[in-house]
Amino acid sequence: MDHNASPLVIVDAANVVGSVPDGWWRDRRGAAERLRDRLASDGVPGRAGPLEVVLVVEGAARGVESVPGVRVESAPGSGDDHIVELVARAAGGRAVLVVTADRGLRRRVAELGAEVAGPRTVRPV
């Protein structure tokens, strides 16, 4: 599949997982894996495929494995910085959607031309 033509959806795992107080802080890695699995099975509601979905993890969630349909990237440092870097790399060539509630990150990626959406896009409460 030509990923360059399909829209890129980047999910800020820490921010989306943290948007629902379901005990995720006891097992950050497990919470990130559940989010990854939901993305792999349900896709992104309201977005017809094919999509390239990238889940960016950081901190205690590093090391979560990729699965078919969802590429997991462990940020070497700040998850926000890694997401901005991914958007910058894709900018201009394709549609990019970043899923996060982080205001600072939303502003940074919007300046690069990405569309932004809140955590409920991929994690209905």
Side-chain angles (χ1 to χ4, degrees), residues 28-71:
R28 290 166 196 264
R29 186 176 176 146
E33 287 171 341
R34 287 189 296 279
L35 174 59
R36 173 204 63 196
D37 294 346
R38 188 177 311 119
L39 287 165
S41 64
D42 301 348
V44 180
R47 305 275 167 170
L51 300 170
E52 181 183 2
V53 179
V54 178
L55 183 65
V56 175
V57 296
E58 60 186 288
R62 278 194 192 103
V64 170
E65 300 289 323
S66 295
V67 296
V70 180
R71 187 171 88 238

Side-chain angles (χ1 to χ4, degrees), residues 1 3 5-7 14 18 23-24 32 62 69 72 74-76 81 97 114 116 118:
M1 183 196 313
H3 280 307
S6 57
W24 58 265
R62 278 194 192 103
V72 181
S74 295
D81 289 347
L97 172 68
V116 290

Side-chain angles (χ1 to χ4, degrees), residues 61-102:
R62 278 194 192 103
V64 170
E65 300 289 323
S66 295
V67 296
V70 180
R71 187 171 88 238
V72 181
E73 290 206 8
S74 295
S78 149
D80 289 5
D81 289 347
H82 192 68
I83 290 168
V84 169
E85 192 179 302
L86 289 172
V87 171
R89 238 185 278 157
R94 63 200 291 200
V96 180
L97 172 68
V98 175
V99 180
T100 184
D102 182 305

